[in-house]
Amino acid sequence: MDLAELLEQAYAIAKQAGDAIMAVYARDFSIEEKDDKSPLTEADKAAHEVIVAGLNAMPEGIPVLSEEDAEGFAGADANGRYWLVDPLDGTKEFIKRNGEFTVNIALIENGKPVLGVVVAPALEVSYVAAQGVGAFKVDAEGERTPIRVAGKPAEGATWRVVGSRSHPSPDLAEWLEKLGSHDMVPMGSSLKLCLIAEGEADVYPRLGPTCLWDTGAAHAVVEQAGGRVETLEGEALSYATPTEKLNPYFVVWGS
């Protein structure tokens, strides 16, 4: 199966997971607390089960690293590939019921995200991308529109900066001062990166903790839309060491 076919399979699975999430979203649900104090809901678990079952049923046998079973991951396959999954990214947004949560599925190959699917079920919008395929926004009717980053703002223009709705960073103010004139665009989950990919924002500095599964899928979308996801040292964000799980600080550039 080539990347285009794998993308369609992953998108179908992510949509099924989104349906499972929305079934929970429509009613009262329980909330647990994980060891790292982050919240866990029935929806996280339901989406995880749908995704893992779907990916494991595919003939390629590519290993799956999911946030909800990170300890069970045995490593990439002989070709350096693994699925990187966040069954419900933005659990805090899910609990707040503001709709800004996503299902994230990425295919990593030799440390790079070569395929990404981001589904926002409550907003009825998705983003799909793969190397050699391009990047697309998918609306509620399933219509796909190619997307492209906006490019660097003109000299003296105001930067549109995406910021986390639930994870403010004390280091951000200094970074923004150096950037210059800017407007903040608050957003939850991996939708922050997708705003960059579709040209609705110019830069997203993340000077706070994130995990590989928070970024992998939307990273692929940004790159295929012409953008960059880089560490503060200017190196491409890497997924080559999945056992470490945590990302360094990074910046998403729409240029």
Side-chain angles (χ1 to χ4, degrees):
M1 209 180 287
D2 62 19
L3 280 181
E5 293 174 306
L6 286 173
L7 180 63
E8 296 310 312
Q9 292 280 346
Y11 178 50
I13 292 167
K15 289 283 285 182
Q16 293 169 10
D19 291 341
I21 288 170
M22 293 308 291
V24 178
Y25 197 60
R27 59 172 172 80
D28 292 336
F29 50 83
S30 62
I31 304 170
E32 302 175 25
E33 189 176 82
K34 294 192 281 191
D35 291 342
D36 63 0
K37 305 301 181 183
S38 62
L40 176 69
T41 72
E42 299 168 61
D44 296 80
K45 299 176 184 178
H48 166 77
E49 291 173 2
V50 168
I51 294 169
V52 171
L55 294 178
N56 283 339
M58 294 169 67
E60 287 74 17
I62 300 172
V64 181
L65 170 55
S66 170
E67 178 184 10
E68 304 312 332
D69 186 26
E71 300 307 317
F73 179 63
D77 67 11
N79 296 312
R81 300 180 302 175
Y82 67 94
W83 292 108
L84 180 59
V85 174
D86 192 338
L88 176 50
D89 181 29
T91 301
K92 290 183 179 179
E93 315 308 330
F94 177 85
I95 293 169
K96 294 175 185 175
R97 297 185 183 274
N98 68 14
E100 295 175 5
F101 51 86
T102 59
V103 177
N104 300 340
I105 300 179
L107 179 62
I108 308 299
E109 188 172 297
N110 297 318
K112 299 180 179 180
V114 297
L115 176 160
V117 173
V118 176
V119 173
L123 303 180
E124 297 186 310
V125 64
S126 303
Y127 299 85
V128 297
Q131 282 186 1
V133 177
F136 302 85
K137 185 177 183 177
V138 190
D139 65 17
E141 284 71 45
E143 183 175 345
R144 301 189 184 192
T145 304
I147 56 176
R148 194 73 184 169
V149 295
K152 185 177 180 179
E155 187 72 27
T158 298
W159 288 75
R160 298 169 297 170
V161 181
V162 185
S164 176
R165 195 179 290 282
S166 296
H167 301 278
S169 166
D171 296 322
L172 186 58
E174 182 180 350
W175 194 93
L176 291 173
E177 185 176 348
K178 294 178 182 177
L179 181 68
S181 176
H182 63 273
D183 289 329
M184 290 296 297
V185 182
M187 181 60 67
S189 73
S190 59
L191 290 170
K192 292 186 286 292
L193 288 88
C194 294
L195 285 182
I196 302 291
E198 64 177 312
E200 292 298 317
D202 303 308
V203 64
Y204 165 40
R206 183 55 185 244
L207 309 185
T210 59
C211 291
L212 302 180
W213 44 74
D214 295 321
T215 57
H219 182 163
V221 175
V222 168
E223 284 201 341
Q224 297 309 311
R228 296 172 289 137
V229 184
E230 298 178 340
T231 67
L232 299 186
E233 292 72 39
E235 299 177 356
L237 198 63
S238 173
Y239 302 82
T241 313
T243 51
E244 292 184 1
K245 300 184 180 64
L246 286 175
N247 289 318
Y249 289 179
F250 62 87
V251 182
V252 183
W253 298 99
S255 60

